[in-house]
Amino acid sequence: MTRILDVDNVTLRFGGLKAVSEVNLTLEAGELVGLIGPNGAGKTSIFNLLTGVYPPSSGRITFTRDGKQINLGRKRPHAICRAGVGRTFQNIRLFKQLTALENVEIALQQNNGYSLFTAFTHLPPFARREEEIRERSMELLHRVGLADKALTRARNLPYGDQRHLEIARALATEPTLLLLDEPAAGMNPNETAELTEMIGRLRSEFGLTVLLIEHDMALVMKICERIYVLDHGVVIAEGTPDEVRNNAKVIEAYLGEDVDV
Ligand SMILES: Nc1ncnc2c1ncn2[C@@H]1O[C@H](COP(=O)(O)OP(=O)(O)OP(=O)(O)O)[C@@H](O)[C@H]1O
Ligand SMILES: [Mg+2]
């Protein structure tokens, strides 16, 4: 097994609050791992640490790509994105007035360090490059089932499709590690089933390692090989879906929540 991510004793403080407290978490290449826990447990905060939104207050985060170790705690978000960590957001972040295709094109352009300067100084490659970006974007839309909606404005897409578009945008950055923050939020059961299938398929098609935050327990239990459970910033359990489901601490953490663990 090849370790792709090593979160070593990481803490994130906001004033007096420890949103993430001495967390240890590892991912092996190709794994699909769940990150669950009640509201406010610190799940999104972990994604924010992994993507450079906040540096850890203490501890170390090591990401490995092509045998090279990268200390994520010291990198800016765009550098982390380029290094190969892609993410989607709990609250959908799309350019709502632009088409699905344009949304993916922008993600591709940003990641390739492509600028208007190159556009003006290298005219023929610019045209070729535009064409390449369009083709690649269409391919990504196809992979998430949105090829026939390429020219629809993001704001006119059904909610489930907007979530798929977010995934296409994340894939455009060519990640080896994909972080999905509640991708099924707001989806109906049919959309959720489709998404579940899609996440598994994308993992093998793109050779991804996936860390998945999700409140939909059926989805998590179905597709994750391992699960970390967070409560009040602390990892209270880690294991296979069966191990986690039967863990007393996990059951207690979820008491009072409307969730079947
Ligand atoms: N920028 C911030 N400033 C201050 N406190 C924050 C900030 N971001 C998160 N927190 C706090 O950190 C804790 C963990 O929040 P986080 O968003 O990581 O939880 P979560 O597990 O993703 O919850 P949810 O399931 O509701 O999305 C919460 O108490 C939250 O209020
Ligand atoms: Mg969250």
Side-chain angles (χ1 to χ4, degrees):
M1 288 200 289
T2 314
R3 183 147 300 174
I4 188 169
L5 183 74
D6 190 352
V7 175
D8 182 16
N9 212 24
V10 165
T11 295
L12 173 64
R13 286 177 217 272
F14 292 114
L17 174 83
K18 276 191 191 174
V20 176
S21 183
E22 292 164 27
V23 162
N24 291 294
L25 181 155
T26 56
L27 297 177
E28 306 299 326
E31 272 193 306
L32 203 170
V33 173
L35 181 57
I36 67 172
N39 288 118
K43 305 180 295 296
T44 299
S45 295
I46 288 188
F47 277 17
N48 287 337
L49 286 164
L50 295 178
T51 52
V53 176
Y54 301 115
S57 309
S58 60
R60 192 181 164 91
I61 306 171
T62 310
F63 172 63
T64 306
R65 180 160 191 174
D66 302 329
K68 198 176 138 211
Q69 295 200 333
I70 302 163
N71 181 353
L72 294 189
R74 291 168 172 249
K75 295 264 182 209
R76 311 276 299 168
H78 69 273
I80 292 177
C81 180
R82 259 187 222 165
V85 182
R87 81 178 286 183
T88 63
F89 293 89
Q90 187 165 354
N91 303 310
I92 294 177
R93 292 192 191 177
L94 295 169
F95 298 104
K96 293 277 167 94
Q97 74 286 11
L98 300 182
T99 66
L101 180 62
E102 287 164 338
N103 267 279
V104 181
E105 285 177 342
I106 287 170
L108 267 173
Q109 285 166 347
Q110 282 173 344
N111 193 46
N112 286 304
Y114 179 74
S115 69
L116 270 180
F117 179 74
T118 357
F120 288 124
T121 51
H122 300 91
L123 224 41
F126 170 69
R128 223 172 18 245
R129 186 96 188 84
E130 285 276 275
E131 201 174 311
E132 268 172 34
I133 285 176
R134 178 137 309 179
E135 274 174 22
R136 180 85 187 123
S137 301
M138 279 306 299
E139 168 67 19
L140 288 168
L141 286 175
H142 176 70
R143 300 289 189 102
V144 301
L146 286 177
D148 57 340
K149 293 177 182 160
L151 302 180
T152 304
R153 286 181 201 277
R155 66 159 175 256
N156 295 330
L157 288 171
Y159 194 72
D161 285 348
Q162 292 192 22
R163 290 241 171 241
H164 285 205
L165 181 54
E166 271 235 308
I167 294 175
R169 279 178 54 84
L171 291 172
T173 66
E174 297 185 1
T176 54
L177 172 59
L178 180 63
L179 310 174
L180 300 172
D181 197 344
E182 299 199 28
M187 286 190 174
N188 66 37
N190 281 341
E191 289 172 330
T192 303
E194 204 180 300
L195 177 80
T196 307
E197 181 277 326
M198 199 178 85
I199 293 171
R201 180 171 49 76
L202 292 175
R203 165 170 66 154
S204 45
E205 284 177 2
F206 289 87
L208 300 168
T209 305
V210 181
L211 186 58
L212 171 75
I213 295 176
E214 190 45 68
H215 277 293
D216 187 317
M217 287 302 150
L219 190 164
V220 172
M221 297 290 169
K222 185 165 176 201
I223 61 173
C224 293
E225 284 127 20
R226 278 194 306 132
I227 297 172
Y228 284 88
V229 189
L230 214 58
D231 190 27
H232 294 104
V234 177
V235 174
I236 57 165
E238 180 271 325
T240 64
D242 269 342
E243 287 166 351
V244 159
R245 196 183 280 128
N246 297 312
N247 183 300
K249 281 189 194 165
V250 178
I251 294 166
E252 192 183 332
Y254 274 103
L255 277 182
E257 290 230 343
D258 186 18
V259 177
D260 290 325
V261 184

